[in-house]
Amino acid sequence: MSLTVNLYYKGADGSARRFAEEMESSGIAAAIRAEEGNERYEYFTPLDDSETVLLIDSWRNQKALDAHHASPMMKQLAELREKYDLHMIVERYVSADEPEGDERFIRK
């Protein structure tokens, strides 16, 4: 089982994109990717909304996610969110062990 959290960072005047760029250039994103239990940490931009950045953040289990939330990087991350005046929408998903018939719709 994996946990995936989709975080939509919303800002103005390109602030969400600058936030993601600073997360990458500062090494914070790389440090999060190196944390025990992190399975994915990637930023994306929606084609129809240039003021939003989507973070897909996946963890092996709740224990790994809790450890991440207790890490020193969360303070740095929170400071950057404040710096860029970002607001968030959060979606949380638990992965299914098997795609349950979805394979026929997936082109590999």
Side-chain angles (χ1 to χ4, degrees):
M1 176 191 78
S2 292
L3 298 174
T4 298
V5 181
N6 290 352
L7 295 112
Y8 296 85
Y9 289 105
K10 296 184 166 287
D13 301 320
S15 62
R17 185 173 187 93
R18 288 192 307 278
F19 161 80
E21 289 168 351
E22 187 165 345
M23 285 290 293
E24 293 292 345
S25 67
S26 69
I28 297 172
I32 292 169
R33 290 181 189 108
E35 285 184 273
E36 179 68 28
N38 183 264
E39 297 178 341
R40 184 176 189 186
Y41 195 89
E42 292 183 86
Y43 291 100
F44 298 90
T45 55
L47 294 175
D48 63 347
D49 183 356
S50 63
E51 296 301 336
T52 296
V53 169
L54 166 64
L55 168 63
I56 300 177
D57 188 17
S58 295
W59 296 86
R60 182 181 321 123
N61 53 36
Q62 185 64 50
K63 183 179 176 180
L65 181 56
D66 290 344
H68 165 63
H69 286 152
S71 75
M73 282 171 283
M74 287 305 295
K75 183 178 185 297
Q76 293 174 292
L77 204 156
E79 289 170 355
L80 282 181
R81 284 194 300 237
E82 282 296 314
K83 174 182 176 179
Y84 291 104
D85 191 25
L86 299 179
H87 301 276
M88 299 160 50
I89 297 171
V90 179
E91 301 170 338
R92 181 182 167 109
Y93 303 96
V94 177
S95 66
D97 292 332
E98 296 180 26
E100 298 186 28
D102 291 341
E103 282 295 318
R104 64 190 172 120
F105 298 105
I106 299 171
R107 183 173 185 230
K108 294 184 180 185

